[in-house]
């Protein structure tokens, strides 16, 4: 430690001690000054060590992640930027229908799970009386969030595909994904609502608003930036999910025709009862039962596209979250 | 925007502005009789009887945990939502029992509350003030503008924010936010203003602005303020009530209570002999 460092240390030590004395704590002044100084030095050293160790750990994790993403993007990059690959049918080695299916499935999933989870989170944070029943519900939601996705998928297969007779279909996939997504969304929204300062709620009540009005007009607007960020991030997870879809949305991607508006036909893109393989399922299928010759290249291209989409989701979540935050607090 | 300002300054704010809510004929007298209050098994107030005269500032003082906030929350029934909280005795507003004779939500338009931490809604400055009138009536756009201007002027915020009415209330400084919250409360023409340590989170300049405001508001409102600051109590209040351990120890005109306290406990507290 250099001289100037030491001087800085002493100065930094002196300030809080002076404060403590005026704060009527006599203990600090009673303590031997040398002991205090050496303790401060030791605390400082262990702080440096801890910072160093943590920095290295974080560095390793970051490096691994970045390397993985870069590798995936690099190995499929050229394929990914090929327009015909992105638009043609799987029979021609493309992934056009898979891209549409992934987005459509995501949209349907959010359409079902967003209102459900919003309602559940509002109920749990605002209305549910604290008691055994509420605790039980919260635990169930937590358990649901740690269900392996293949279990969710097989459950969806038994219930939606077989029992309800929906066959392999987008709607069966969307329902399975909702089960998979719901607990996470409920948590995210619950946390966002709980993070709204208590004073805001009091303000609403003191203005003569009912609990419902307070929730809708005060709590939700305050929580909206966090809610939107959470929803987009969970969308990323859903987008990349494969196991829950293999036995629900199915593994075939019939060619779709955007001019077909007969929603009972298998080639109508909006038909929710047609089987629809997504990008992630496509990757899985290519690698497990590839029949095409350049399966590896197609799989790499698909993976690159999938990762790029998820990156975009994450960046969007940040930008939109921050913009909304700014809108709520300033501007 | 400019055009709107011109209109506003020309027409006298009084006429249209009050049309949204029944005009308050000044403050209302608040009277508490024999109030015992329990949080579950824990008794927080013991037989409190206190008159808070109309159009005066009454200060509630006392050590931390003595029940000042609890008492204040009885007046606008904010205690109702606390599970296990109940009280006996009565609190009346101009003779009407707040618990039995006035609707809970209407009561809160007659009795406004300002909190320790400024808590504007996550809305624009304009919408913050307009919220109450919109919620409790159907004001015309023009009446609403006038109400907003009148309330912001009353709290001395108009000149500071008149060009930024569309900006979020949360973007203001702490002191401005607190005055915005007071304006928001004033917009529904309450008769009584409850203030729970309204300046303890503010800087000295904002504090003195809010203190001046309290005295000014007392001309047509009953103001009841909890404070830990003895100087503040002497500066702003007409009457002071001293609470200790859930009991009302003494109440008197402020100058009298501070110069000649009758009870030993009051004297000890005022001279800082216990805390
Ligand atoms: N929500 C509550 N549930 C249970 N007990 C409470 C609750 N709020 C307050 N109390 C209890 O009631 C008593 C009075 O509290 P209160 O908040 O009214 O004190 P106060 O005079 O406002 O104190 P301070 O000056 O610190 O704000 C305290 O003993 C407190 O623990
Ligand atoms: Mg208090």
């Amino acid at each position: 430690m250099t001289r100037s460092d030491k001087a800085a240390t002493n100065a930094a030590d002196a300030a809080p001690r002076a404060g403590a004395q005026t704060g009527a704590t006599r203990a600090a002044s009673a303590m031997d000054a040398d002991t205090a100084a050496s303790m401060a030095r030791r605390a400082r050293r262990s702080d440096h060590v801890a910072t160093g160790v943590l920095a290295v750990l974080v560095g390793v994790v970051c490096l691994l992640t970045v390397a993985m993403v870069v590798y995936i993007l690099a190995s499929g990059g050229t394929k990914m930027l090929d327009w015909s690959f992105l638009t043609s049918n799987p029979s021609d080695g493309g992934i056009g229908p898979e891209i549409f299916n992934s987005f459509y499935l995501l949209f349907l999933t959010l359409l079902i799970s967003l209102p459900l989870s919003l309602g559940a989170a509002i109920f749990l944070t605002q209305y549910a009386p604290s008691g055994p029943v509420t605790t039980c519900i919260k635990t169930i939601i937590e358990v649901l969030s740690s269900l392996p996705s293949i279990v969710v998928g097989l459950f969806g297969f038994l219930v939606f595909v077989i029992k309800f007779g929906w066959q392999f279909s987008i709607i069966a996939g969307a329902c399975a994904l909702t089960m998979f997504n719901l607990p996470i969304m409920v948590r995210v929204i619950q946390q966002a609502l709980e993070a709204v300062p208590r004073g805001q709620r009091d303000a609403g009540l003191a203005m003569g608003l009912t609990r419902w009005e307070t929730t809708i007009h005060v709590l939700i607007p305050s929580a909206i930036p966090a809610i939107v960020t959470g929803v987009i991030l969970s969308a990323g997870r859903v987008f990349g999910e494969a196991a829950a879809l293999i036995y629900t949305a199915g593994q075939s991607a019939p060619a779709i025709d955007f001019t077909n508006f007969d929603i009972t036909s298998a080639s109508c893109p909006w038909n929710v009862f047609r089987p629809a393989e997504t990008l992630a399922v496509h990757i899985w299928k290519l690698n497990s039962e590839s029949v095409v010759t350049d399966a590896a290249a197609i799989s790499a291209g698909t993976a690159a596209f999938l990762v790029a989409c998820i990156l975009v989701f994450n960046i969007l979540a940040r930008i939109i979250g921050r913009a909304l935050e700014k809108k709520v607090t300033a501007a | 925007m400019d055009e709107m300002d011109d209109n506003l300054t020309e027409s006298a704010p009084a006429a249209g502005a009050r049309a949204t809510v029944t005009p308050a004929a000044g403050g209302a007298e608040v009277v508490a009789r024999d109030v015992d209050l329990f949080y579950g098994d824990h008794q927080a107030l013991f037989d409190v009887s206190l008159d808070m005269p109309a159009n005066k500032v009454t200060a509630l003082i006392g050590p931390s945990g003595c029940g000042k906030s609890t008492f204040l929350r009885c007046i606008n029934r904010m205690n109702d939502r606390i599970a296990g909280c109940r009280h006996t005795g009565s609190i009346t507003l101009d003779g009407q029992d707040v618990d039995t004779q006035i609707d809970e939500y209407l009561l809160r338009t007659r009795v406004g509350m300002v909190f320790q931490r400024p808590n504007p809604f996550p809305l624009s400055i304009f919408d913050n003030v307009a919220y109450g009138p919109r919620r409790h009536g159907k004001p015309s756009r023009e009446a609403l503008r006038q109400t907003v201007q009148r309330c912001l002027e009353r709290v001395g915020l108009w000149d500071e924010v008149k060009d930024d009415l569309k900006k979020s209330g949360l973007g203001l400084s702490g002191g401005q936010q607190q005055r915005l919250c007071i304006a928001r409360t004033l917009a529904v023409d309450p008769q009584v203003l409850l203030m729970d340590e309204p300046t303890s989170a503010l800087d000295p300049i904002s504090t003195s602005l809010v203190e001046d405001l309290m005295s000014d508001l007392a001309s047509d409102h009953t103001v009841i303020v909890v404070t830990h600051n003895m100087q503040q109590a002497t500066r702003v209040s007409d009457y002071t009530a001293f609470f200790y351990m859930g009991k009302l120890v003494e109440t008197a005109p402020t100058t009298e209570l501070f110069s000649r306290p009758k009870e030993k406990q009051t004297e000890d507290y005022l001279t800082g002999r216990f805390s």
Side-chain angles (χ1 to χ4, degrees):
Chain A
M1 205 187 242
T2 67
R3 240 193 144 77
S4 62
D5 270 346
K6 219 176 235 163
T9 314
N10 288 341
D13 285 343
R17 225 182 296 144
Q21 256 164 16
T22 54
T25 329
R26 294 277 148 76
S29 65
M31 203 202 284
D32 181 44
D34 281 351
T35 325
S38 85
M39 274 174 68
R41 220 171 302 132
R42 212 173 311 147
R44 198 165 279 262
R45 201 176 309 134
S46 56
D47 186 45
H48 280 312
V49 173
T51 314
V53 171
L54 289 176
V56 170
L57 288 176
V58 169
V60 169
V61 172
C62 284
L63 213 69
L64 277 175
T65 321
V66 171
M68 244 156 74
V69 170
V70 168
Y71 175 76
I72 293 173
L73 288 178
S75 56
T78 42
K79 188 93 187 161
M80 180 182 91
L81 295 175
D82 175 4
W83 184 246
S84 68
F85 169 67
L86 294 181
T87 51
S88 62
N89 283 322
S91 49
D92 307 324
I95 55 169
E98 278 84 3
I99 294 176
F100 176 81
N101 289 345
S102 288
F103 281 102
Y104 190 38
L105 194 56
L106 174 64
F107 169 76
L108 285 179
T109 305
L110 290 181
L111 202 65
I112 304 172
S113 59
L114 193 57
L116 281 178
S117 51
L118 200 58
I122 289 176
F123 179 77
L124 286 174
T125 54
Q126 307 302 316
Y127 289 88
S130 48
V133 179
T134 311
T135 319
C136 187
I137 293 175
K138 285 186 180 168
T139 314
I140 291 174
I141 291 176
E142 241 138 73
V143 169
L144 211 56
S145 77
S146 51
L147 271 188
S149 52
I150 185 70
V151 174
V152 173
L154 289 171
F155 175 82
F157 175 71
L158 288 177
V159 175
F160 306 123
V161 176
I162 307 282
K163 188 92 189 148
F164 292 2
W166 289 349
Q167 319 290 22
F168 287 130
S169 60
I170 299 187
I171 188 73
C175 289
L177 283 184
T178 295
M179 288 182 53
F180 172 76
N181 196 25
L182 206 57
I184 301 152
M185 298 249 284
V186 172
R187 293 279 328 231
V188 167
I189 299 174
Q190 217 179 321
Q191 277 168 3
L193 287 175
E194 274 162 7
V196 178
R198 155 130 243 139
Q200 295 265 321
R201 200 173 316 170
D202 288 343
L205 288 173
M207 289 286 293
L209 306 191
T210 61
R211 196 152 47 166
W212 175 246
E213 288 171 316
T214 308
T215 305
I216 295 301
H217 295 300
V218 181
L219 297 186
I220 304 259
S222 294
I224 210 85
I227 292 177
V228 169
T229 310
V231 168
I232 300 180
L233 290 179
S234 83
R237 259 183 57 125
V238 165
F239 198 75
E241 177 55 33
L245 291 176
I246 293 172
Y247 297 107
T248 51
Q251 307 166 37
S252 60
I256 48 180
D257 172 10
F258 282 92
T259 58
N260 184 348
F261 287 101
D262 171 16
I263 56 159
T264 54
S265 130
S267 68
C268 170
W270 315 108
N271 179 1
V272 294
F273 286 104
R274 68 183 167 88
E277 187 193 43
T278 63
L279 290 169
V281 174
H282 192 54
I283 296 174
W284 174 80
K285 202 173 79 177
L286 282 171
N287 287 288
S288 59
E289 47 183 79
S290 54
V291 280
V292 270
T293 43
D294 54 350
I298 299 175
S299 158
T302 314
F305 185 77
L306 192 61
V307 167
C309 284
I310 289 171
L311 273 180
V312 170
F313 281 166
N314 279 267
I315 294 166
L316 271 185
R318 265 170 198 247
I319 296 174
I320 296 177
R322 219 172 276 162
L324 285 172
E325 183 87 53
K326 216 168 135 202
K327 193 163 181 307
V328 170
T329 54
Chain B
M1 208 61 208
D2 282 337
E3 195 188 338
M4 170 184 136
D5 293 346
D6 289 342
N7 287 342
L8 287 174
T9 34
E10 267 165 39
S11 54
R18 293 221 163 195
T20 58
V21 182
T22 18
E29 185 189 29
V30 181
V31 177
R33 281 289 168 267
D34 309 321
V35 175
D36 284 303
L37 184 140
F38 302 83
Y39 288 113
D41 294 335
H42 171 72
Q43 186 164 4
L45 292 177
F46 297 83
D47 198 27
V48 174
S49 294
L50 178 63
D51 289 10
M52 288 149 279
N55 303 328
K56 298 282 182 218
V57 179
T58 304
L60 311 181
I61 61 169
S64 197
C66 68
K68 307 178 296 291
S69 302
T70 300
F71 179 70
L72 207 63
R73 286 199 302 264
C74 286
I75 302 174
N76 69 344
R77 290 176 59 184
M78 288 283 279
N79 282 330
D80 284 14
R81 74 190 158 91
I82 298 174
C85 181
R86 65 205 157 80
H87 75 85
T88 59
S90 72
I91 292 173
T92 56
L93 192 69
D94 269 347
Q96 286 176 292
D97 191 302
V98 297
D99 292 291
T100 56
Q101 293 174 319
I102 307 178
D103 172 74
E104 177 182 356
Y105 299 108
L106 278 180
L107 172 69
R108 296 194 186 131
T109 64
R110 294 175 62 185
V111 182
M113 190 166 202
V114 176
F115 297 82
Q116 180 171 359
R117 299 226 149 261
N119 50 7
F121 293 142
L123 302 169
S124 72
I125 294 171
F126 184 94
D127 290 339
N128 260 284
V129 183
Y131 197 98
R134 277 183 183 141
R135 164 64 178 71
H136 298 286
K138 293 223 181 319
S140 68
R141 282 172 62 109
E142 188 51 30
L144 203 57
R145 279 186 202 162
Q146 290 182 1
T147 307
V148 170
Q149 182 177 7
R150 170 176 60 88
C151 295
L152 287 173
E153 275 173 351
R154 186 93 198 244
V155 300
L157 203 56
W158 178 252
D159 290 330
E160 290 162 56
V161 303
K162 65 172 178 240
D163 299 323
D164 300 326
L165 292 176
K166 291 219 178 79
K167 292 197 180 166
S168 167
L170 293 169
L172 297 172
S173 77
Q176 289 175 321
Q177 286 190 16
Q178 191 64 305
R179 284 183 286 148
L180 177 64
C181 291
I182 298 175
R184 173 180 69 185
T185 308
L186 291 179
V188 290
D189 267 317
Q191 297 172 290
V192 181
L193 283 173
L194 309 176
M195 301 187 162
D196 196 346
E197 304 183 37
T199 62
S200 63
L202 305 186
D203 64 284
I205 293 173
S206 304
T207 297
S208 99
L209 284 172
V210 172
E211 284 181 6
D212 293 346
L213 191 55
M214 283 185 229
S215 313
D216 170 57
L217 289 172
S219 64
D220 53 353
H221 299 86
T222 305
V223 179
I224 305 169
V225 56
V226 170
T227 179
H228 277 284
N229 181 330
M230 297 304 126
Q231 278 76 38
Q232 184 169 75
T234 56
R235 278 193 298 263
V236 303
S237 70
D238 303 293
Y239 297 90
T240 299
F242 172 60
F243 283 74
Y244 183 56
M245 309 246 303
K247 297 192 179 73
L248 175 65
V249 175
E250 182 172 356
T251 172
T254 301
T255 41
E256 209 174 301
L257 187 113
F258 278 86
S259 56
R260 295 182 301 280
K262 291 198 186 65
E263 303 290 330
K264 174 103 182 29
Q265 279 174 335
T266 318
E267 190 180 340
D268 286 350
Y269 182 69
L270 293 178
T271 52
R273 240 169 285 164
F274 73 76
S275 74

